[in-house]
Amino acid sequence: MWRFAGVDLATARARIDAAFEAGVTLFDTADIYGFDTPGGFGSAETLLGDVFAEAPGRREAMVLATKGGIIPGVPYDSSAPYLASAIDASLRRLRTDRVELWQIHRPDLLAHPQEIARTLEDAHAAGKVGAIGVSNFTPAQTSALARFLPVPLVSHQSEFSPLHLAPLFDGLFDQSMEQGMAFLAWSPLGGGRLGDPADERGRAIAALLDAKAAEYGVSRAAATYSWVMAHPARPIPIVGTQKVERIGEIPQAFIPRWTRAEWYAVLQIAMGERLP
C-alpha cells in the first residue's frame, strides 16, 4: 500500500478487488504511507478505511497489517505514549477495531525495548493487534525486544531483492528461520530498478530473470518474485504495483522453479563476484 494513496475511491476499490481476484490475502500498509500526497500523513490508511466502509466484506477476508513509529521530521518515535496513540489512530483511519499484524516501522534508537514491549503487550491484550512484528530491525534489535515481550514476534519486514541481498548475510533470514518468523520482503523488484535496469549489473541480472521467465511463460517480475521466494526462509514479496493488470500477474510467481545452479547464478551476478 506504499503508493496506494492519492486516488479516488473507485480506483482504490478496483485495486483491492484485483488483488483478491489474484488470490492475495495479505495487505500491508503503514500510517506514514501517503504523507507526500495531498491527503498527507495517514491518507493510505484512510483510503483503505473508505474501501472497507463501502465493502466491509473485503476487510473480513484479508489479513491486515500496518506499521507505525515514523514521524516526518523527527524521524522515529517508539515511546510508549506515541506508539499507543499511533495504534489507536491507525485503527480509526482504517475503520476497524483490530489489525492482524502491527509492526514497528523502523527502530527508534532512543526507546528502550522494555518500554516498547510494554506498550505492544497492552495493545495485544486489549485485542487491538493480533500479532506483533518488526520492520527494518537488525537481529540484535529484534532479540532485545523479544526478550521483554511475553508474546512472540512473528515477522520481519525488510528489503530483499536481487539488488539488495543483505538479509542473506546479516542474520535476518537466519533469525527468521530459527524463530519461525515470517519474512516480508519490501521492494522485491529493487524499487522498480529491475524493470528498467540502468547499469550493467542490473541488465545482467535481468537477462537471467528473463531466461527463467521465458522458460515458464511468465513476466520478469514473476520470475523475480519466484527467485525471492525460493529461499528456505520463505520470504513473502510485498508487491507494490498499483496497476490492476500487473496485480493480476501476481499468481505467476508460483510457476517458475529454480535449480540451485540457476539461483546461485543470479546471486553471484548480483554480488558481482563468484562464491568460493
Side-chain angles (χ1 to χ4, degrees), residues 51-71:
V51 172
F52 295 155
E54 182 179 88
R58 290 309 197 192
R59 168 66 190 101
E60 297 164 6
M62 72 170 59
V63 176
L64 178 60
T66 194
K67 302 181 287 294
I70 299 179
I71 308 173

Side-chain angles (χ1 to χ4, degrees), residues 111-238:
H112 194 289
Q114 187 172 29
E115 177 184 16
I116 299 169
R118 185 180 302 113
T119 306
L120 298 181
E121 179 185 0
D122 289 346
H124 181 268
K128 297 176 182 180
V129 301
I132 299 165
V134 292
S135 180
N136 304 297
F137 270 50
T138 67
Q141 290 166 336
T142 304
S143 295
L145 177 58
R147 167 67 177 78
F148 296 103
L149 264 177
V151 296
L153 289 170
V154 304
S155 63
H156 269 297
Q157 182 166 333
S158 288
E159 184 176 6
F160 178 61
S161 76
L163 294 179
H164 188 90
L165 304 169
L168 293 168
F169 306 109
D170 65 9
L172 281 177
F173 278 168
D174 301 301
Q175 185 175 57
S176 296
M177 292 184 290
E178 178 190 21
Q179 300 297 326
M181 300 171 69
F183 189 95
L184 311 181
W186 61 264
S187 285
L189 301 181
R193 289 175 291 155
L194 283 173
D196 185 20
D199 56 29
E200 183 176 347
R201 171 186 174 229
R203 288 188 287 270
I205 295 170
L208 292 179
L209 295 170
D210 284 346
K212 179 59 64 176
E215 177 184 355
Y216 285 91
V218 300
S219 67
R220 182 189 298 173
T224 308
Y225 299 145
S226 71
W227 186 88
V228 166
M229 293 161 61
H231 190 276
R234 300 179 67 188
I236 301 167
I238 300 295

Side-chain angles (χ1 to χ4, degrees), residues 233-252:
R234 300 179 67 188
I236 301 167
I238 300 295
V239 180
T241 183
Q242 302 297 301
K243 298 179 180 178
V244 168
E245 63 274 14
R246 293 282 300 279
I247 293 171
E249 295 175 356
I250 291 174
Q252 293 181 8

